Amino acid sequence: MSYTTLLVDVDDHGIATVTINRPDKLNALNADVIDDLDAFFSRAETDATIKGVILTGSGQKSFVAGADIARFRELDGESGRIFADRGQAVFNRIENMPKPVIAAVNGFALGGGSELALACHIRIAADNAVFGQPEVNLGILPGYGGTQRLPRLVGLGIATELILTGAMIKADRAFEIGLANLVVPASELMEATGKMMTTILAKAPIAVELSLKALRVSDEPLAKGLDVEADLFGQACDTEDFKEGVEAFLGKRKASFTGR
Ligand code: COA
């Protein structure tokens, strides 16, 4: 499958590297990018050759510098609502992926770019990364999930500060507040991201998938989340990989998981 705005490379280990490819516009999200992301992630959900996804931006300067502001002239109340609904649906698809998705943030992650990184399961930042929600400068607010996912990740106080001031923060600050999981030199970004993905893919695949599922309800009331966790724990106990993991530990050998 080919895409007009994405470069997709799947390696021998099933790691798909997806590069948003509009470098002349700092990889801003226009309707084509949103459609391509939707098409790619909808395929990746069920494509057994894809085990995990690394999302990044083309060039050295930018992950994604936001939604495409050139489109904003057309927006009014009605079309703005549709615009936000569409982006949110695609970002929900990314967040709900049953396979790990890591953002390799290689520069500006602003507005919709920050929100895209927030929809990924893990964020690794290059030391030149800049995060921010500058929507207030344009007379709008984040519409692709920023007001909801940012406070869940960094807490309400810091999220409120970032969204109301539109401040751009550097990678080290993003790490301090828990927005970035890790900061690495820009030249090592893809290697470090690949390494973390490889670590995850060496684990029992069903355990990873069920963990993602349980983590997704971590903002639900505790009793509900615990109930989901216990249910998923039971499901994991029914897998061959569970038996293999336990036997391997007790037999002092390396586990060999099959994803069953
Ligand atoms: N939408 C559309 N085009 C964008 C864009 C966006 N979000 N961000 C950058 N671009 C375009 C610029 O218009 C410019 O295009 P041009 O060369 O045809 O004029 C090109 O990308 C390069 O950007 P430029 O502004 O020249 O780079 P810079 O290094 O001077 O500044 C930024 C970089 C990221 C600080 C600046 O581009 C910026 O503030 N972008 C908008 C960020 C934003 O508000 N995002 C949230 C949107 S809701």
Side-chain angles (χ1 to χ4, degrees):
M1 195 163 180
S2 67
Y3 306 91
T4 51
T5 65
L6 303 181
L7 304 174
V8 176
D9 174 69
V10 184
D11 75 9
D12 294 343
H13 306 287
I15 301 176
T17 299
V18 177
T19 306
I20 298 175
N21 190 31
R22 297 185 73 213
D24 54 325
K25 297 294 176 191
L26 304 185
N27 306 316
L29 302 171
N30 63 11
D32 291 339
V33 181
I34 294 291
D35 288 348
D36 280 349
L37 286 171
D38 197 20
F40 170 77
F41 279 97
S42 121
R43 167 194 149 198
E45 271 164 25
T46 53
D47 183 336
T49 64
I50 295 176
K51 314 279 187 210
V53 181
I54 293 173
L55 195 54
T56 193
S58 181
Q60 305 302 316
K61 195 171 161 182
S62 182
F63 174 69
V64 168
D68 192 333
I69 299 171
R71 285 179 69 197
F72 282 6
R73 284 192 176 127
E74 305 151 17
L75 294 185
D76 60 12
E78 199 182 334
S79 56
R81 169 77 209 213
I82 293 166
F83 173 91
D85 280 342
R86 171 72 180 144
Q88 287 184 10
V90 175
F91 287 16
N92 285 346
R93 186 190 280 290
I94 296 173
E95 184 174 60
N96 290 329
M97 272 283 288
K99 305 165 187 184
V101 183
I102 306 182
V105 181
N106 58 318
F108 291 113
L110 302 175
S114 168
E115 292 168 298
L116 179 59
L118 286 167
C120 296
H121 302 138
I122 293 171
R123 287 146 293 284
I124 301 187
D127 54 6
N128 69 331
V130 175
F131 292 81
Q133 298 290 162
E135 287 87 349
V136 282
N137 296 326
L138 299 170
I140 47 174
L141 65 156
Y144 284 177
T147 64
Q148 304 305 304
R149 292 195 177 96
L150 189 59
R152 281 170 168 80
L153 198 60
V154 306
L156 185 57
I158 302 280
T160 304
E161 176 194 333
L162 290 175
I163 289 171
L164 297 193
T165 64
M168 294 193 193
I169 58 167
K170 293 185 176 166
D172 52 357
R173 177 70 180 143
F175 176 72
E176 264 172 28
I177 64 175
L179 179 50
N181 294 68
L182 185 69
V183 181
V184 297
S187 60
E188 295 167 21
L189 178 65
M190 296 316 287
E191 191 190 336
T193 310
K195 201 169 155 200
M196 188 180 290
M197 184 63 87
T198 301
T199 299
I200 296 169
L201 296 186
K203 311 301 176 192
I206 296 175
V208 169
E209 180 179 343
L210 296 180
S211 297
L212 285 171
K213 216 170 178 178
L215 287 161
R216 269 199 295 281
V217 295
S218 62
D219 52 359
E220 300 273 350
L222 184 63
K224 182 175 175 206
L226 290 174
D227 186 47
V228 171
E229 182 186 81
D231 188 37
L232 296 171
F233 186 88
Q235 287 184 37
C237 291
D238 262 341
T239 63
E240 289 176 23
D241 280 346
F242 169 55
K243 307 215 168 4
E244 164 63 10
V246 172
E247 288 310 316
F249 178 82
L250 297 175
K252 301 191 187 306
R253 62 174 172 82
K254 194 173 180 300
S256 172
F257 294 120
T258 57
R260 290 195 294 269

